[in-house]
Amino acid sequence: MDSELRRMRLKWCGHVFRMPDERVTKEALIFEKAPTWKRPKGGVRRTWRSTVAADLERVLKPPNVRADKWRLCWKDACMEVAMNRQRWQVDYKVEDVLVSHLVRTAQFYQLHQFLQYHVITDRTLMACKLLTLNKDYPPAIQLALDMLKRLGVNSHAEILELLLSREEVVTAINFAKKFNLVDDLKRPDKFLEVAKSTGDRIMFYSAYKFFEDFNMQQFHQRKLLPSQKCEKYTEHFKLLFGENSLNDHTVINSAVIAQELSVF
């Protein structure tokens, strides 16, 4: 508990140090007491600022620096670290392994706590990963949306484009289905273009068959419409799987992505 409270104090401290100098919050943290100032009788001995200074001394002070000297330079040291996030942020690969382990071992409560209390760093890559966990842990979608909002990505359209830019075609289609983004689903070309560019045959097959079924529901015909401008993807489908496959709607056991999308 103590280490978690310390981590949260330091995280807020770094946020304050990155504020403009004219912000009152920053001034309150870095102000210098007058030499003649004395603590009033009965005044609080340990303040939030002194607590943060002690936290910083514990994690930043070099062993060869005396405590009295550290008290004179702790703010400069904190400012340097706060402005250089690359120095102290945990590498994404480490957090990716951690999240994968928690999902694999079904420790979803622990995962939720780590995300809720920002133990895991906000990143677009992590948010995309969380969106892919919908099948295993449905609340991960809301956690991902909250993370993206903190990162400045607010609209569903932005999130959809972000997923496609990461070649997360399956997750993008599932996201569009969940939030009923019908106008986007009526434009299968952008999904199929990404699926084609990945070189993943199963992904392309599954996405193409999904949009055939989607058209059947929306327009009562399975064939992709000329207005959807998907002629080149139809030709690519024929090249990969043969023309007869256009009329084949049986389940392919190896098409895991197709099963996830419920395209059959």
Side-chain angles (χ1 to χ4, degrees), residues 189-226:
D189 56 318
K190 60 181 181 181
F191 297 89
L192 294 174
E193 176 61 32
V194 177
K196 178 175 178 286
S197 67
T198 64
D200 189 325
R201 291 163 55 91
I202 293 178
M203 180 183 291
F204 184 81
Y205 182 96
S206 304
Y208 192 94
K209 287 298 180 180
F210 166 80
F211 285 109
E212 280 190 338
D213 283 356
F214 178 80
N215 275 12
M216 190 67 182
Q217 296 171 10
Q218 293 290 319
F219 310 115
H220 307 292
Q221 68 175 70
R222 194 173 297 277
K223 185 178 179 181
L224 299 188
L225 304 176

Side-chain angles (χ1 to χ4, degrees), residues 221-238:
Q221 68 175 70
R222 194 173 297 277
K223 185 178 179 181
L224 299 188
L225 304 176
S227 60
Q228 294 175 314
K229 301 178 180 179
C230 291
E231 292 82 0
K232 67 176 181 178
Y233 305 113
T234 300
E235 292 302 316
H236 185 67
F237 187 93
K238 292 178 183 178

Side-chain angles (χ1 to χ4, degrees), residues 11-100:
K11 186 172 183 178
W12 172 250
C13 182
H15 175 64
V16 172
F17 269 98
R18 287 188 292 274
M19 290 180 178
D21 291 340
E22 61 271 14
R23 291 285 295 273
V24 175
T25 309
K26 186 172 182 178
E27 291 180 358
L29 182 61
I30 65 175
F31 80 97
E32 293 292 345
K33 294 180 289 188
T36 57
W37 181 88
K38 291 185 179 180
R39 185 177 62 254
K41 188 176 181 179
V44 178
R45 288 180 174 274
R46 191 163 184 83
T47 63
W48 188 87
R49 174 173 146 151
S50 64
T51 302
V52 169
D55 292 337
L56 289 166
E57 180 176 353
R58 181 170 180 171
V59 299
L60 288 181
K61 185 178 84 65
N64 59 339
V65 175
R66 296 201 321 255
D68 57 343
K69 187 176 181 181
W70 170 254
R71 282 193 287 271
L72 297 175
C73 67
W74 69 271
K75 285 179 287 188
D76 292 333
C78 185
M79 177 68 78
E80 180 184 351
V81 174
M83 300 306 291
N84 185 9
R85 292 187 173 191
Q86 296 299 322
R87 174 179 166 184
W88 51 265
Q89 280 191 336
V90 177
D91 187 79
Y92 168 73
K93 293 180 181 178
V94 176
E95 293 184 334
D96 180 54
V97 171
L98 172 62
V99 171
S100 298

Side-chain angles (χ1 to χ4, degrees), residues 99-127:
V99 171
S100 298
H101 171 74
L102 292 174
V103 172
R104 188 170 59 253
T105 55
Q107 298 184 62
F108 297 116
Y109 175 79
Q110 190 69 60
L111 173 62
H112 200 111
Q113 294 294 300
F114 282 169
L115 291 165
Q116 187 174 2
Y117 292 103
H118 310 298
V119 175
I120 293 174
T121 310
D122 289 351
R123 312 173 199 261
T124 53
L125 275 174
M126 181 56 68

